[in-house]
Amino acid sequence: RRRRDDDVTREGDHLLELITSLLDMSKFEQGQLHLHREVVDVEKLLSDVRRTALPTANKKRITLERRVEAQLPLVHGDEARLRQVLQNLTDNAIKFTREGGLVLRVTGQSAGEGRMALSFMVIDTGIGFTYLDEATLYQRFFQLDGSMTREYGGLGVGLAICRQLIELLGGRLTHQSEPGRGSRFQLEVEFDVRDAPLPAAEQMFKGYT
């Protein structure tokens, strides 16, 4: 009975995710998807994303680590849309990771007076995939393989929505992946800082694991 209830809950979550993505896609095409400006605590945001995804990661017995540069400033931006992208990428990484774990990471550096360039990374040790042209990978309803839908669920709209939202925020979404080694999705966005910007050194990515 417990397993059946979990299956129903999981299917319900997938359906809600699909409906939300399709609604966002429709709004985007009609020019009705608007951004909101609010104060964003980046460190807290990443903690919230991790906390939301942690039960699923624990159930799969994989780790979910959060790494944040020391004392990033508060910034102005659309927290809900940024959270949506990070949560989608995190949930997707958990879905395709059978063992090992994930790292949610953010680095930042000054982008001029009153501006901060933030780089968010979702790094996993999942199944990975072979090289694919980015235009193909981010197509709507694209699946890496026909069997993926049966084994992992979803209809392949998540990445398309993520890219559209990040571009709407004035940033970009890129990826690196290799079969058997995992994947890294990285989004880079500039924000206005609430107060004076704090200088921060960029930390280099040192591999998938």
Side-chain angles (χ1 to χ4, degrees):
R1 177 65 183 274
R2 176 68 176 274
R3 180 177 298 178
R4 182 180 303 172
D5 291 341
D6 289 343
D7 290 341
V8 171
T9 300
R10 184 165 56 252
E11 290 302 320
D13 290 342
H14 287 163
L15 179 59
L16 180 60
E17 177 185 343
L18 175 60
I19 292 173
T20 301
S21 297
L22 291 174
L23 287 174
D24 281 344
M25 187 175 294
S26 176
K27 289 179 181 179
F28 189 89
E29 291 178 340
Q30 297 174 32
Q32 298 177 353
L33 195 61
H34 304 295
L35 298 179
H36 299 280
R37 183 178 172 86
E38 56 194 324
V39 176
V40 182
D41 185 332
V42 177
E43 297 185 33
K44 182 179 183 300
L45 173 60
L46 214 63
S47 294
D48 290 345
V49 171
R50 179 182 180 274
R51 183 170 57 252
T52 300
L54 194 57
T56 305
N58 288 339
K59 186 174 181 180
K60 296 188 69 174
R61 297 183 179 180
I62 58 178
T63 60
L64 181 52
E65 183 181 352
R66 163 189 172 275
R67 296 180 188 172
V68 182
E69 273 191 4
Q71 204 167 356
L72 289 173
L74 299 177
V75 298
H76 288 287
D78 191 322
E79 180 175 354
R81 293 305 180 186
L82 185 58
R83 181 191 303 271
Q84 182 179 351
V85 173
L86 290 171
Q87 198 72 62
N88 194 308
L89 292 176
T90 300
D91 293 344
N92 204 50
I94 292 175
K95 182 190 301 184
F96 291 101
T97 300
R98 296 191 180 108
E99 58 183 17
L102 285 74
V103 174
L104 309 182
R105 185 179 178 190
V106 59
T107 65
Q109 62 181 357
S110 175
E113 186 175 357
R115 298 281 289 174
M116 175 66 66
L118 297 178
S119 179
F120 297 88
M121 286 163 261
V122 179
I123 308 164
D124 67 62
T125 59
I127 60 176
F129 50 87
T130 57
Y131 172 78
L132 288 168
D133 183 89
E134 290 196 358
T136 302
L137 181 62
Y138 296 98
Q139 280 180 3
R140 305 170 191 178
F141 309 112
F142 173 73
Q143 286 285 347
L144 298 178
D145 185 284
S147 63
M148 291 293 186
T149 303
R150 293 189 297 272
E151 183 174 356
Y152 295 101
L155 290 177
V157 297
L159 287 179
I161 288 294
C162 285
R163 167 160 280 190
Q164 289 177 336
L165 288 176
I166 289 302
E167 290 178 349
L168 192 63
L169 290 169
R172 64 174 186 160
L173 173 62
T174 59
H175 70 276
Q176 291 181 344
S177 187
E178 185 175 335
R181 291 196 61 202
S183 303
R184 180 190 73 170
F185 283 85
Q186 179 169 337
L187 56 99
E188 299 173 331
V189 191
E190 286 190 12
F191 296 95
D192 292 323
V193 298
R194 191 184 68 170
D195 301 310
L198 299 176
E202 180 76 35
Q203 296 183 13
M204 298 302 293
F205 172 68
K206 301 183 185 299
Y208 293 117
T209 59

